[in-house]
């Protein structure tokens, strides 16, 4: 799990059925100073109604996704699990 | 999950049976600016009919692969799950 | 599993139900010298009552989390498993 | 999954029982140019009779390993799944 | 799986029950030259009686850990699986 900042959203008209209606966030994991960053951003399904510039905790566990998307077969893995105060 | 650009395809005459007929994309995960990149490209099975230069969302979940390749025993893990608009 | 130093905590008022009451540590994996570090910190659930500056061993196994948080559906993955002497 | 070049083999007289008879390759994941590389090489079980300098596709899925090594308990994870033409 | 050099051990008086009696190695994954290294060391459970400076093959598979530690609930993931000749 990592603290990441929401830097954008990803829109797609052609995607896996289980993702229809899901909001895809582009999030950038943050370094120890809580501001700088390094490396690749991740795409995460929004579960906490996060907006641009919000800081969130993200996880790679697929279990939550299968609940949220109501699909046993979703290939989605990364999602938000907490909005940082 | 990451946003990546399709930079090529991988052709193989000798491969795991479950991959016969599958299209293997070489994709490069993108940095926050949506253009730059850093680090190793991934090989992903195409599920969205992506072409060179297209941007896609990729996932490491093996579940989708077992459905798409119709093989409970496929060792394939990475695939596309969305074509970015 | 990695040796990491606790560098802070993460507070969130809006999070997955299974995380209510859990202490979220911000931990920085350490390099071979046991002091320097490189790359992204991780968020890990505390299971060893670690404090700031403590060194801990962290793991990405979800099994412990399901026990500690008493939730079969928690998406939490990273946790401490040992406090380094 | 990644495209990697075979750069050597690993020999071990003392190893997990399930690895007896298996060929362990040392492979280096390749960058986008198909030649350069960055970061740590991986150890992968050979399933495609790859030789030094060959390019292969590697995967971290443990399922193939359990089949190839005929062992439900093998801890092996990375293997080749295709030989690049 | 990676080739890594044993650079130390980790001692902990307060840890998950399943780790009591286990030897925790601090290992540094090696670059292609078999000597240089880059990035974070890992903590791995010893299963091959490795000593300082030995080279080992490590894996992230949790299955071996559950056997070796005789615990279905151990959160341990990384272990040695072979001692390099």
């Amino acid at each position: 799990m990592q603290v990441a900042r929401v830097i954008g959203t990803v829109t797609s008209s052609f995607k896996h059925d289980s993702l229809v209606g899901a909001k895809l966030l582009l999030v950038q994991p943050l370094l120890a100073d809580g501001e700088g960053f390094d490396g690749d951003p991740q795409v995460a399904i929004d579960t906490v109604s996060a907006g641009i510039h919000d800081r969130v905790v993200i996880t790679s566990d697929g279990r939550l996704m299968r609940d949220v998307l109501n699909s046993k077969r979703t290939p989605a893995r990364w999602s938000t699990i907490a909005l940082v105060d």
Side-chain angles (χ1 to χ4, degrees), chain A residues 46-78:
Chain A
D46 182 35
T47 68
V48 294
S49 300
I52 301 285
H53 300 310
D54 280 347
R55 282 188 305 153
V56 291
V57 179
I58 56 172
T59 182
S60 66
D61 194 275
R63 199 168 300 111
L64 179 60
M65 286 298 83
R66 297 197 281 280
D67 280 3
V68 167
L69 300 178
N70 195 25
S71 162
K72 284 190 181 170
R73 293 188 171 280
T74 183
R77 291 290 295 271
W78 285 86

Side-chain angles (χ1 to χ4, degrees), chain A residues 5-79:
Chain A
R5 189 174 296 282
V6 180
I7 58 173
T9 54
V10 177
T11 56
S12 167
S13 303
F14 185 37
K15 55 194 169 188
H16 191 264
D17 288 349
S18 65
L19 299 181
V20 173
K23 183 169 143 203
L24 278 68
L25 301 174
L26 189 64
V27 302
Q28 178 72 56
L30 299 174
L31 290 175
D33 62 7
E35 293 298 331
F37 55 83
D38 180 39
D40 294 338
Q42 293 284 336
V43 177
I45 307 286
D46 182 35
T47 68
V48 294
S49 300
I52 301 285
H53 300 310
D54 280 347
R55 282 188 305 153
V56 291
V57 179
I58 56 172
T59 182
S60 66
D61 194 275
R63 199 168 300 111
L64 179 60
M65 286 298 83
R66 297 197 281 280
D67 280 3
V68 167
L69 300 178
N70 195 25
S71 162
K72 284 190 181 170
R73 293 188 171 280
T74 183
R77 291 290 295 271
W78 285 86
S79 66

